Amino acid sequence: MKLIFRPYSKTSFGLSLGLTIFYLSCFVIIPLSSLVFKSANLGWSGLLEVFSEDRIQKALILSFGAGGVAAIINLFVGFLFAWVLVRYDFPGKRILDSLVDLPFTLPTAVAGIALTTIYSPKGWIGQFFEPLGIKIAYTPAGIVIALVFIGFPFVVRTVQPILEELPKELEESAFCLGASRFQTFTKVILPELIPSLLTGTSMAFARGIGEYGSVVFISGNLPGKTEILPLLIVTKLEQYEYAKATGIALLMLVLSFTIMLAINFFQNRASRRLG
């Protein structure tokens, strides 16, 4: 019996497209549009006044700076995890593979409390740095550690399937042609992984700049020093400064969208080169 594939009808396409647009409007477009319209009531002078505040500028630099540093660390740490899980067999491999998803399932507040307990001056790890005069918790270093913890699974889970599907024949051919292991990695393997590495890193960065629960405890929330933008938004709301809160939120939205757009541009450019 010969099976004949029939393309989907226009009716099913219209229904699927309608549901997609409805979902996108309810959960993305309408909330973000309301944020933009609410911030527009401030006017340009009001927005410039919000952005010129020293406390907001320092929180902005800290949030995006710590998010960028954590994303770069996650790029290498996530790739290393993915490489080990794909290329090697060892006892406890399945357990390690399951632990990678722990930051996804663990409540962020629990992660923040655990990290603060470990890296505080009297914690399991912090106590060894305290005599050297090095503080981890309640400093920007602690914020970076928290963002690395919640961000590295994105890189692992985007690189791992690409690495698993990479044909072994490519490496064998390069080896037969006289390429060294380093040349095989840089010329054969790495170019295939660049799009997925950029995707995972951008997702980790986006998660990091908007993270609240895991950072609020370990940061110490010192204004002008360890205060992040999401916490500052909550602080402004508690002080009934709704205009400034929406202005900060709009700033995060514009900067995040611009950075993600640039990352997607370079990712598509790398994919076209590989193609």
Side-chain angles (χ1 to χ4, degrees), residues 4-264:
I4 301 177
F5 175 77
R6 295 182 179 178
Y8 296 107
S9 63
K10 294 183 178 180
T11 304
S12 61
F13 169 74
L15 180 61
S16 302
L17 181 62
L19 291 175
T20 302
I21 296 177
F22 175 76
Y23 172 84
L24 188 65
S25 301
C26 291
F27 295 98
V28 180
I29 298 177
I30 294 178
L32 295 182
S33 299
S34 63
L35 175 63
V36 174
F37 288 132
K38 182 69 176 179
S39 302
N41 295 331
L42 293 173
W44 289 109
S45 59
L47 288 174
L48 291 176
E49 182 181 353
V50 172
F51 302 153
S52 62
E53 188 174 322
D54 183 65
R55 183 179 179 183
I56 296 177
Q57 291 180 354
K58 290 182 178 179
L60 172 68
I61 295 173
L62 177 61
S63 295
F64 282 85
V69 173
I72 295 174
I73 296 175
N74 282 323
L75 172 64
F76 296 98
V77 174
F79 172 75
L80 179 62
F81 265 76
W83 182 270
V84 170
L85 291 174
V86 173
R87 293 304 178 105
Y88 301 103
D89 291 322
F90 52 90
K93 178 180 177 179
R94 292 185 177 181
I95 297 177
L96 181 62
D97 192 19
S98 301
L99 289 176
V100 171
D101 295 324
L102 186 61
F104 287 151
T105 59
L106 189 68
T108 55
V110 176
I113 294 174
L115 292 173
T116 305
T117 303
I118 294 174
Y119 290 101
S120 64
K122 296 183 180 180
W124 293 351
I125 299 178
Q127 63 180 340
F128 298 106
F129 291 91
E130 180 67 17
L132 303 176
I134 301 175
K135 292 186 63 176
I136 300 179
Y138 317 124
T139 65
I143 298 176
V144 172
I145 290 176
L147 298 184
V148 169
F149 175 79
I150 57 100
F152 86 94
F154 290 98
V155 182
V156 177
R157 293 313 185 199
T158 52
V159 175
Q160 187 177 359
I162 306 300
L163 198 57
E164 289 175 344
E165 296 176 0
L166 193 65
K168 295 292 182 64
E169 291 79 7
L170 294 177
E171 299 179 52
E172 295 174 357
S173 300
F175 180 76
C176 292
L177 292 173
S180 63
R181 289 186 178 274
F182 179 76
Q183 290 175 330
T184 302
F185 175 77
T186 55
K187 301 295 184 180
V188 178
I189 300 176
L190 187 58
E192 297 289 338
L193 299 178
I194 287 178
S196 59
L197 284 171
L198 289 176
T199 300
T201 304
S202 61
M203 292 173 64
F205 174 75
R207 170 72 186 273
I209 59 178
E211 179 60 22
Y212 177 80
S214 61
V215 179
V216 66
F217 296 103
I218 198 171
S219 66
N221 309 324
L222 301 176
K225 295 182 179 180
T226 60
E227 189 176 42
I228 57 175
L229 278 178
L231 175 63
L232 189 56
I233 293 175
V234 175
T235 302
K236 295 298 182 182
L237 291 175
E238 292 176 347
Q239 296 174 351
Y240 303 103
E241 298 181 9
Y242 300 115
K244 289 187 177 181
T246 55
I248 299 172
L250 179 64
L251 176 64
M252 290 189 65
L253 174 63
V254 173
L255 291 177
S256 300
F257 180 77
T258 303
I259 293 173
M260 293 297 295
L261 189 64
I263 293 175
N264 288 332

